Amino acid sequence: MTNTRGTGDEKNTRVEIAAELLDQSLAIRSEVVKELAKEFEVSVQQAREYVREAEKLLAPTFDLKEIRYKWQEIENDLKLCTVRSLEEGNLNAAVGATKARVNHYKQINQIDPSAAWDRELTAAFCDDSYPPNPNKKIPTERLSERTKKEPFKPKTSARKYDINSVDYIRF
């Protein structure tokens, strides 16, 4: 192996090939690095650099709809891996695929931040609706006695509805 540097065109070609390999569903980064190192006869560190450059190329190319599609495609592949490994009786592979699906679900708030923000807002509302419990003990008295507030009673309208009225519509 000679110590000559590749040209800029060679580097661009290698980065594009790395991007194509990374774009495949279920592409594993370490396998892409090994394949590039073997194919182009470069060091593993140089192959990692090609992969880093390829990731930079791929990042801005996806819009939210395409990212959701890719996420669903990977989810379907992982589900298929789980089912096939259970059919074959390979429990280790099934557990591994299930763990991969769990980690895949953890990425939702990066993929769809608006939906994650909505879930966080709902969780914060639920957390704020209960009085603080600094002792982390289960209270023995009623919450209404602890907070010295009246229990919630829905407001009733002062207007009486007439069943025979045209304005009254039953749903």
Side-chain angles (χ1 to χ4, degrees):
M1 183 153 68
T2 60
N3 287 334
T4 60
R5 296 185 94 154
T7 63
D9 290 336
E10 288 177 345
K11 180 181 178 184
N12 291 339
T13 304
R14 293 172 182 180
V15 169
E16 287 176 12
I17 291 173
E20 289 173 5
L21 291 172
L22 286 173
D23 196 33
Q24 297 172 357
S25 63
L26 291 182
I28 299 172
R29 189 176 193 272
S30 61
E31 291 179 4
V32 171
V33 169
K34 288 177 188 176
E35 188 172 336
L36 289 172
K38 182 179 176 183
E39 183 178 341
F40 297 116
E41 297 178 356
V42 294
S43 66
V44 175
Q45 291 82 6
Q46 187 60 44
R48 282 192 198 120
E49 182 61 30
Y50 295 148
V51 170
R52 277 190 223 107
E53 293 289 326
E55 287 172 340
K56 290 177 187 175
L57 282 177
L58 288 175
T61 60
F62 296 118
D63 61 346
L64 187 59
K65 188 174 182 180
E66 190 171 358
I67 289 172
R68 287 178 180 157
Y69 172 77
K70 284 281 193 188
W71 189 90
Q72 188 62 43
E73 184 181 356
I74 293 170
E75 167 61 22
N76 291 338
D77 289 344
L78 289 171
K79 189 185 297 186
L80 183 66
C81 288
T82 305
V83 169
R84 284 191 179 161
S85 56
L86 284 174
E87 287 173 353
E88 294 173 3
N90 189 349
L91 295 178
N92 289 334
V95 168
T98 304
K99 286 181 180 179
R101 286 179 72 190
V102 168
N103 289 331
H104 190 59
Y105 277 112
K106 290 179 183 177
Q107 300 299 318
I108 288 178
N109 52 344
Q110 293 177 358
I111 294 170
D112 195 358
S114 61
W117 179 82
D118 189 36
R119 283 190 297 275
E120 288 175 9
L121 184 66
T122 303
F125 174 77
C126 291
D127 290 342
D128 292 344
S129 63
Y130 295 106
N133 188 358
N135 299 334
K136 303 292 182 201
K137 294 181 181 176
I138 299 174
T140 55
E141 68 274 359
R142 292 184 178 272
L143 288 177
S144 60
E145 293 171 6
R146 274 182 54 202
T147 58
K148 307 287 190 234
K149 292 182 180 177
E150 289 290 320
F152 175 74
K153 294 179 186 174
K155 295 180 181 179
T156 57
S157 174
R159 183 176 170 190
K160 300 289 182 185
Y161 290 102
D162 182 15
I163 296 176
N164 298 322
S165 173
V166 177
D167 296 333
Y168 183 74
I169 301 172
R170 299 186 86 164
F171 292 102

